[in-house]
Amino acid sequence: MLETTLGLEIIEVVEQAAIASSKWMGKGEKNIADQVAVEAMRERMNRIHMRGKIVIGEGERDDAPMLYIGEEVGFCTQPDAEKYCNINELVEIDIAVDPCEGTNLVAYGQNGSMAVLAISEKGGLFAAPDFYMKKLAAPPAAKGHVDINKSATENLKILSDCLNRDTEELVVVVMDRPRHKDLIQEIRNTGARVRLISDGDVSAAISCAFSGTNIHALMGIGAAPEGVISAAAMRCLGGHFQGQLIYDPEIVKTGLIGESKESNLARLRDMGIENPDKVYETEELASGETVLFAACGITPGTLMEGVRFFHGGARTQSLVISTQSKTARFVDTVHMFDKPKVIQLK
C-alpha cells in the first residue's frame, strides 16, 4: 500500500527540496536553485525505507550527478541494505522527479515554481525521453470529450459545453514561446482568454482539475518528462490529459536533444517507441495500479503558497494526491530549525 507507507515521506521529500531552493529565490542563480533542490530531495529520499528507481529525473543520458535516469534511491538500495531491509518483500517503485519545476521562476522571484514528484509501482510511469510534448489538459467534466487531435477552436467549443460556460469565460494557459504564436491567436479569436506563463506547466495542468482556480485548459508544447508528472496528477484527480511527443527540432526551434528529426526518430526506435506520433492518454502515461503525486510550493502559485521563512523556521504548503484513497490533501507545515541563538544585549 504505497500511500500508507510512503504518503508522509514523499511530502517531506518535496518540502525539503522546496525549502532548499527557496533560499535562492530572487538571486538570479537558476542552476544553484535547481542544484540545492536536487541535493535536498535525494538526501531525504535515501532515508526512506524503499527500493526506488528514477525513471524521469535530472538527465536522460546519465550526465547528471544525482537523481539521473536509472539511479536507484531509497535506504534499501544501499550496498549493505540486506542487513536492515527484507529486500524480497519490498515493492519496487518508479519515481519521476522535478526538484525545482520552474528554475527561472525561482531565480527571478516569480510565481508558480514548485518541487514535484510522482511514484508508482515498477513500470507504472512512462519513461518519457527528454523531448518535447504537445499537451492538452482540461477539467474532469471534459475528460474524453476534448481531444488533442482537434483544433483549439473545436476543443474550446466542447469545453464550453462541458462546463456550461460561455467561451468568453474560459481561460487557457499557454507557454509564452514563439512556437505558440498561431495557437495563441486562434484561442483569442474564439473569445477565450489566454494566460501566458514563462515556465512551470505542471502547475497549470493540474490547476485545470481544481474548480476555483480560473484555469480551464492547458494547450501547447512543453517538456515531455513534465508531461508524465502532470499526467500522474491528473490520473489521481480524474482530469483530462493527453500528450504527443514532438521530435522535430523545426517545430520547437530549441531545446531538443539531437541534431535532426531523423536522429531523434532513431533514438525513439532504440527506446522501443515504434509509433512516434502516438497520442498518449493519461492512463498510458501513468498506468500503475497506485499512483501518488506530491508537490510543494517554492514560490507562490495558483494552488499553493511558496515557502515563507521566519526567525528559526519556515512554513510550507504541499499537495499530495493519491489514486489509492482518491484524495487530494493540502498540507500546511511549520518547520522548526535548530534553536536560534539567544543574543545577549549589553
Side-chain angles (χ1 to χ4, degrees):
M1 302 290 279
L2 289 184
E3 183 180 1
T4 53
T5 57
L6 299 178
L8 180 58
E9 302 270 25
I10 65 170
I11 294 173
E12 293 186 359
V13 168
V14 292
E15 286 175 345
Q16 292 306 310
I19 290 171
S21 185
S22 67
K23 292 177 181 178
W24 288 88
M25 189 276 291
K27 296 184 177 182
E29 299 283 355
K30 72 170 189 174
N31 291 335
I32 298 177
D34 186 53
Q35 177 187 336
V36 296
V38 171
E39 293 172 352
M41 179 172 277
R42 183 174 183 259
E43 191 279 330
R44 182 63 184 86
M45 205 175 277
N46 277 333
R47 288 191 277 122
I48 301 177
H49 196 85
M50 69 174 184
R51 282 193 299 162
K53 184 176 182 180
I54 303 296
V55 296
I56 289 177
E58 287 296 292
E60 184 185 323
R61 296 189 169 181
D62 294 2
D63 55 358
M66 56 184 71
L67 294 186
Y68 54 81
I69 307 298
E71 182 181 10
E72 293 186 336
V73 293
F75 185 74
C76 297
T77 62
Q78 308 303 316
D80 58 347
E82 66 277 359
K83 295 180 182 179
Y84 314 100
C85 310
N86 189 336
I87 303 298
N88 294 325
E89 291 183 2
L90 284 176
V91 175
E92 293 182 77
I93 62 172
D94 285 351
I95 308 172
V97 302
D98 194 345
C100 182
E101 211 255 333
T103 54
N104 283 319
L105 301 176
V106 179
Y108 301 110
Q110 298 170 341
N111 289 356
S113 180
M114 58 187 188
V116 296
L117 66 78
I119 67 173
S120 187
E121 302 89 354
K122 184 178 180 180
L125 296 173
F126 178 65
D130 199 3
F131 282 12
Y132 275 72
M133 178 182 279
K134 182 181 178 182
K135 306 173 187 180
L136 175 63
K143 183 174 175 58
H145 298 289
V146 292
D147 192 303
I148 201 169
N149 289 315
K150 291 183 168 65
S151 68
T153 303
E154 292 174 291
N155 279 324
L156 287 169
K157 174 64 173 67
I158 295 168
L159 192 57
S160 173
D161 293 339
C162 291
L163 299 180
N164 194 27
R165 285 173 173 261
D166 292 337
T167 306
E168 289 75 13
E169 297 175 335
L170 299 178
V171 175
V172 182
V173 174
V174 182
M175 297 278 280
D176 190 5
R177 301 289 188 270
R179 62 177 174 264
H180 291 146
K181 179 181 177 182
D182 292 341
L183 172 63
I184 292 167
Q185 190 58 54
E186 181 181 355
I187 294 169
R188 288 172 173 164
N189 287 344
T190 69
R193 293 169 291 162
V194 176
R195 179 179 295 179
L196 295 174
I197 58 172
S198 60
D199 295 278
D201 65 353
V202 174
S203 176
I206 63 178
S207 292
C208 297
F210 288 92
S211 60
T213 61
N214 199 38
I215 294 175
H216 306 107
L218 168 74
M219 295 181 181
I221 296 170
E226 282 81 349
V228 176
I229 296 174
S230 298
M234 295 298 265
R235 160 88 189 278
C236 299
L237 294 166
H240 180 97
F241 189 89
Q242 290 174 296
Q244 184 179 38
L245 293 174
I246 302 295
Y247 49 83
D248 186 351
E250 289 300 314
I251 294 177
V252 295
K253 308 300 181 188
T254 58
L256 282 175
I257 296 176
E259 298 178 357
S260 68
K261 176 180 176 180
E262 290 70 27
S263 65
N264 286 334
L265 284 169
R267 285 188 58 222
L268 290 176
R269 285 193 294 271
D270 291 342
M271 296 178 68
I273 299 175
E274 296 297 332
N275 180 7
D277 297 313
K278 175 180 171 62
V279 172
Y280 293 91
E281 304 292 334
T282 310
E283 293 75 15
E284 294 173 301
L285 295 171
S287 61
E289 181 180 346
T290 301
V291 178
L292 298 180
F293 169 91
C296 182
I298 301 175
T299 57
T302 303
L303 292 173
M304 294 168 289
E305 289 285 351
V307 178
R308 291 145 289 165
F309 290 98
F310 56 86
H311 186 57
R315 186 171 181 173
T316 59
Q317 190 171 41
S318 306
L319 169 64
V320 59
I321 315 171
S322 167
T323 59
Q324 188 174 313
S325 61
K326 295 182 172 57
T327 56
R329 292 187 174 96
F330 288 90
V331 181
D332 200 350
T333 307
V334 173
H335 305 260
M336 290 161 282
F337 302 154
D338 293 336
K339 189 175 180 180
K341 295 179 180 178
V342 177
I343 301 173
Q344 298 291 341
L345 299 176
K346 295 182 180 179

